[in-house]
Amino acid sequence: MSIEQLAEIAQAMVAPGKGIIAIDESTGTIKKRFDSVGVECTEENRRAYREMLLTTPNLSQHISGAILFDETLRQSTRDGVPFAKVMMDNGIIPGIKVDKGTHALAGFPGEVVTEGLDGLRARLEEYYKLGARFAKWRAVINIGDDIPSGTCIEANSHALARYAALCQEQGLVPMVEPEVIMDGSHDIDTCYDVTEVTLRSLFGSLYEHNVMLEGTILKASMVLPGSTCSDKASIEEVAAETLRCLKSTVPATLPGIVFLSGGQSDADATAHLNAMNLAGPNPWPLSFSYGRAMQSAALQIWSKDIAGNIGPAQAMVFERARANGLAALGEWKG
Ligand code: 13P
């Protein structure tokens, strides 16, 4: 695959007014989500839930792609059509989560490093054959007393760069996700500093590993006060600080940046994205790759009657896609 082809996929992922729906929860994470609404976490329920999401009528009006978990990429609709085919037929680019989750970073209490590089080349080759055209890897940076350490940031950046280079070699667009976690009592300035040093390290590593930025998407966390910080920030402040941080660290050759929601309310996630686009023009399209902020309301509805509430749940998925799609244009009115 040429860099031009990778760039074309990356640009399609952030087409105007479109974003990504992240439905790549590992089996453990989706169990937590299902437990919270009283749905049993069986393979069939996971399949049925993902079918509900992916077959939402007219989803591609506001959604360019979806990130799947390994299990989902191998599953099909009730009628036996592979999800990847359903997506491609509907103009939604299939993506795949390829990391193997976070593990304690030895020697650094409270810090984690993402694993999954061993055997990744072969897995990417298979995912491409199954229809995936982009791949996500999530690094986790925790904020706390004396953390993050430089070692943790570097270890995660190095892994992200190695995965991204392998993706491009195998014809997939890497969606690099260094998530600075919202949990904690830190203030917005601390989040700014940690996000800045994390992104600086990440783009340094991508450069050292010959990753072509034209065929790469950044999945970023917003610059926010910690979830238990007493000093709350306004929508405008979050938007301004996030933009200032991104502009000082992310090269303009990158085709686009999408945000994770990270535990923000649905309304905040949409309002923050809208405010950043209203403040444009920016060097890159800014859109969304929300998991919880795309799904939570629909999951609630679906869980009340998983066979009977498919239509109402899909209407909610569409509504969240529409709101975030408008926010990606700075046209969301609340
Ligand atoms: P949230 O939007 O729920 O943070 O999930 C996005 C995601 O893909 C995290 O890796």
Side-chain angles (χ1 to χ4, degrees), residues 22 24 136 138 177 179 219 260-263 289-293:
D24 58 323
K136 188 195 91 170
R138 173 174 174 258
E177 181 184 15
E179 177 173 359
K219 177 158 176 166
L260 59 100
S261 56
S289 174
Y290 295 155
R292 281 162 286 180

Side-chain angles (χ1 to χ4, degrees), residues 173-236:
V173 170
M175 178 191 269
V176 293
E177 181 184 15
E179 177 173 359
V180 176
I181 300 291
M182 234 170 99
D183 299 352
S185 58
H186 55 272
D187 60 14
I188 191 169
D189 294 342
T190 305
C191 181
Y192 182 101
D193 291 344
V194 170
T195 306
E196 181 180 38
V197 73
T198 299
L199 290 174
R200 225 177 266 302
S201 163
L202 172 61
F203 283 95
S205 293
L206 294 177
Y207 175 74
E208 282 164 14
H209 287 255
N210 288 340
V211 174
M212 296 170 285
L213 295 187
E214 294 83 351
T216 302
I217 294 288
L218 171 66
K219 177 158 176 166
S221 44
M222 297 182 195
V223 175
L224 299 158
S227 48
T228 57
C229 176
S230 50
D231 227 348
K232 302 294 174 210
S234 67
I235 299 291
E236 291 69 29

Side-chain angles (χ1 to χ4, degrees), residues 141-317:
I141 306 296
N142 290 313
I143 300 181
D145 290 343
D146 297 324
I147 64 170
S149 64
T151 306
C152 172
I153 290 172
E154 271 171 39
N156 278 294
S157 293
H158 183 256
L160 275 161
R162 285 190 58 197
Y163 125 87
L166 279 166
C167 283
Q168 293 189 332
E169 179 195 274
Q170 296 302 319
L172 287 98
V173 170
M175 178 191 269
V176 293
E177 181 184 15
E179 177 173 359
V180 176
I181 300 291
M182 234 170 99
D183 299 352
S185 58
H186 55 272
D187 60 14
I188 191 169
D189 294 342
T190 305
C191 181
Y192 182 101
D193 291 344
V194 170
T195 306
E196 181 180 38
V197 73
T198 299
L199 290 174
R200 225 177 266 302
S201 163
L202 172 61
F203 283 95
S205 293
L206 294 177
Y207 175 74
E208 282 164 14
H209 287 255
N210 288 340
V211 174
M212 296 170 285
L213 295 187
E214 294 83 351
T216 302
I217 294 288
L218 171 66
K219 177 158 176 166
S221 44
M222 297 182 195
V223 175
L224 299 158
S227 48
T228 57
C229 176
S230 50
D231 227 348
K232 302 294 174 210
S234 67
I235 299 291
E236 291 69 29
E237 189 183 357
V238 169
E241 289 301 280
T242 304
L243 280 178
R244 191 164 69 86
C245 191
L246 292 172
K247 284 180 184 170
S248 77
T249 53
V250 181
T253 44
L254 200 80
I257 301 173
V258 293
F259 292 99
L260 59 100
S261 56
Q264 301 177 55
S265 69
D266 290 6
D268 280 358
T270 305
H272 287 144
L273 177 62
N274 192 63
M276 283 188 260
N277 280 303
L278 266 182
N282 294 308
W284 345 253
L286 296 177
S287 191
F288 61 95
S289 174
Y290 295 155
R292 281 162 286 180
M294 273 296 305
Q295 297 180 56
S296 303
L299 175 62
Q300 287 282 348
I301 297 170
W302 180 77
S303 70
K304 300 210 161 53
D305 181 355
I306 63 176
N309 270 2
I310 293 171
Q314 289 181 328
M316 181 53 78
V317 175

